[in-house]
Amino acid sequence: MFKKFSTFFTTMKHLSLYLFIFWLSGCAVEQRETTFVPPVYPSPPDEPRFYYETTLRSSADVIPAESDAKMKYLLTGAGRVGEGMSKPYDVAVRQGIVYVSDPVERQILVFDKTGNRFYRIGEKTPGQLKKPFGIALDDHGKLYVIDNVLKKAFIYDAKGNFIENIGSEDMFHRPTGIAVTKDGTRLFIADTGGVSTQEHRIRVFDLKSKKHIFDIGKRGEKEGEFNLPKGMTIGKSDDLLYVVDSANFRIQSFNSQTGEFVNQFGSIGRLPGKFARPKDISTDNEGNIYVTDAAFGNFQIFNKKGQLLLFVGNRHMDNKPGMFMLPSGIDVDEDGRVLMADQFFKKVEIFRPANLESHLGYLGVPKTDKDKK
């Protein structure tokens, strides 16, 4: 009899515990929904154009927690621990897979939001990296990485397998930025240079022949010249090469086939629309241009004429959504979501355009039963 009572009380104890966890879970979700309001840009009463959506910090942000682990987090209040970033430099995204270069980790960190996977590229030879900086993707899913120490471009297939190197140590002074045409036939590498060299230029390679074919620019202030060129991108709507001419505080564009100068905009200043420490660049499907600025702690959006449309983010010591101390790499995905890396806070934040519902697109969050009601 006592054994039956003991079994009964043990069963009731476990049932009570699960009921408590269920109640606590409901309270936790309800509290999170009522206390956190995602930043919106521009601020009310202006019409929203971008919403803060989420932050990537570690593998825990893409790999779902096991059910027993979820109970532990609810009961203890402890956060999940995953493989995180040390100093993210650049970011690239394609079909829901986010690539982050981390020169301290000496690897490319891959956050596969659609497949709930996290993995690394560049860990082992062949294809082992030492100090990856700029990264780029072509329409075939190939990944291109410029290594600042090895002074070579590394090419990997869509699965992260090493394919080959382009360039050599004697061809670069200080390479930092990289861009590739959408069809994967032409590669651009920014040789940033320094105070002791005139080699501030873009080196252009034909990927079919694997040969260097010509250079764009030299050190200077005139059209087509550079002073510390850094981030680059190929325009999604026009196939132009856009270059952050950082110490000339401007953006320059070039014909990606001939290297001919096309246009420029920007100047030094503290006000919106100016540049102080421009770092990286991307474009969207409509031809708008997105530029990160480490001094402003934001990214600015310009139209094709170089007119300011909006800025997103603020420089601040609080590590909260929409706040940055050292933003660097940026990319815009197929659906218009913007991803920006911050080296100081070791994160990549994702912003969603207001005309895109949160469940849509490659990085969309599926609707829950509650959302469907």
Side-chain angles (χ1 to χ4, degrees):
M1 174 184 257
F2 288 105
K3 187 175 182 179
K4 290 183 178 179
F5 275 114
S6 176
T7 302
F8 172 76
F9 284 123
T10 301
T11 302
M12 292 302 295
K13 180 180 178 181
H14 289 165
L15 180 60
S16 299
L17 176 61
Y18 282 115
L19 287 172
F20 171 72
I21 292 173
F22 178 77
W23 173 81
L24 183 63
S25 174
C27 291
V29 172
E30 189 65 26
Q31 183 180 22
R32 183 164 60 248
E33 290 179 347
T34 56
T35 58
F36 176 68
V37 178
V40 57
Y41 306 91
S43 302
D46 292 330
E47 182 179 353
R49 294 191 58 192
F50 279 93
Y51 294 100
Y52 162 81
E53 192 161 64
T54 190
T55 299
L56 297 176
R57 299 182 188 276
S58 75
S59 58
D61 294 312
V62 293
I63 300 176
E66 299 295 335
S67 58
D68 56 343
K70 289 182 181 179
M71 293 181 186
K72 176 183 176 182
Y73 304 140
L74 287 170
L75 288 171
T76 65
R80 291 185 62 200
V81 177
E83 298 180 50
M85 309 175 195
S86 293
K87 195 172 184 180
Y89 182 85
D90 200 4
V91 60
V93 58
R94 181 177 182 271
Q95 296 182 358
I97 303 178
V98 181
Y99 301 81
V100 181
S101 66
D102 194 318
V104 174
E105 291 287 316
R106 299 186 177 188
Q107 293 158 9
I108 307 300
L109 311 182
V110 186
F111 300 81
D112 185 351
K113 294 278 286 184
T114 58
N116 300 127
R117 298 185 305 150
F118 172 86
Y119 58 97
R120 297 168 180 263
I121 295 175
E123 291 182 278
K124 303 176 182 178
T125 55
Q128 187 174 31
L129 299 166
K130 281 196 174 181
K131 197 171 184 180
F133 269 34
I135 57 178
L137 296 162
D138 66 22
D139 281 353
H140 306 292
K142 287 184 180 179
L143 173 68
Y144 302 78
V145 183
I146 185 64
D147 193 297
N148 184 259
V149 170
L150 298 176
K151 298 181 180 180
K152 297 178 182 179
F154 287 69
I155 305 176
Y156 305 85
D157 66 19
K159 295 182 179 180
N161 300 308
F162 174 71
I163 300 176
E164 61 186 341
N165 288 124
I166 296 291
S168 59
E169 186 174 347
D170 60 353
M171 297 188 71
F172 302 103
H173 182 79
R174 188 159 64 97
T176 58
I178 195 167
V180 63
T181 53
K182 290 179 285 187
D183 60 5
T185 59
R186 187 159 291 189
L187 187 70
F188 306 84
I189 299 175
D191 198 3
T192 301
V195 295
S196 61
T197 178
Q198 296 299 309
E199 295 174 347
H200 298 227
R201 58 192 176 179
I202 309 301
R203 312 220 76 178
V204 186
F205 296 81
D206 180 272
L207 288 172
K208 290 183 178 179
S209 66
K210 312 296 187 296
K211 294 181 179 180
H212 167 248
I213 50 178
F214 62 86
D215 290 336
I216 301 174
K218 61 179 182 178
R219 190 172 189 178
E221 300 177 354
K222 298 178 182 178
E223 292 181 352
E225 297 179 342
F226 301 106
N227 191 3
L228 304 179
K230 291 187 176 178
M232 301 185 295
T233 193
I234 297 294
K236 292 181 175 66
S237 66
D238 54 21
D239 290 326
L240 294 179
L241 173 69
Y242 291 88
V243 182
V244 177
D245 187 8
S246 67
N248 281 327
F249 308 97
R250 64 184 177 183
I251 304 301
Q252 295 198 70
S253 60
F254 301 85
N255 183 301
S256 60
Q257 298 302 310
T258 65
E260 181 182 0
F261 171 82
V262 175
N263 196 13
Q264 67 173 342
F265 68 88
S267 60
I268 188 172
R270 297 182 178 180
L271 298 176
K274 304 291 185 178
F275 297 121
R277 288 182 64 193
K279 296 288 289 287
D280 199 21
I281 188 167
S282 187
T283 67
D284 63 22
N285 294 328
E286 298 176 356
N288 297 317
I289 303 162
Y290 299 65
V291 183
T292 62
D293 198 299
F296 296 156
N298 66 14
F299 64 84
Q300 300 186 91
I301 308 174
F302 301 86
N303 63 18
K304 294 180 181 180
K305 297 179 180 180
Q307 299 168 323
L308 179 67
L309 302 177
L310 179 70
F311 68 87
V312 173
N314 292 284
R315 185 176 173 85
H316 206 286
M317 280 299 297
D318 288 338
N319 187 6
K320 295 179 180 179
M323 296 182 180
F324 307 93
M325 277 299 294
L326 196 58
S328 53
I330 191 169
D331 201 12
V332 182
D333 78 356
E334 302 91 335
D335 307 304
R337 283 182 170 88
V338 184
L339 293 82
M340 183 168 73
D342 186 278
Q343 295 183 286
F344 187 85
F345 288 136
K346 305 176 183 180
K347 65 181 180 179
V348 171
E349 290 199 349
I350 302 176
F351 299 86
R352 172 175 54 86
N355 61 1
L356 180 71
E357 294 187 46
S358 60
H359 67 282
L360 297 178
Y362 286 107
L363 290 172
V365 179
K367 286 186 175 182
T368 63
D369 292 337
K370 182 179 179 180
D371 296 327
K372 294 175 183 178
K373 293 180 180 179

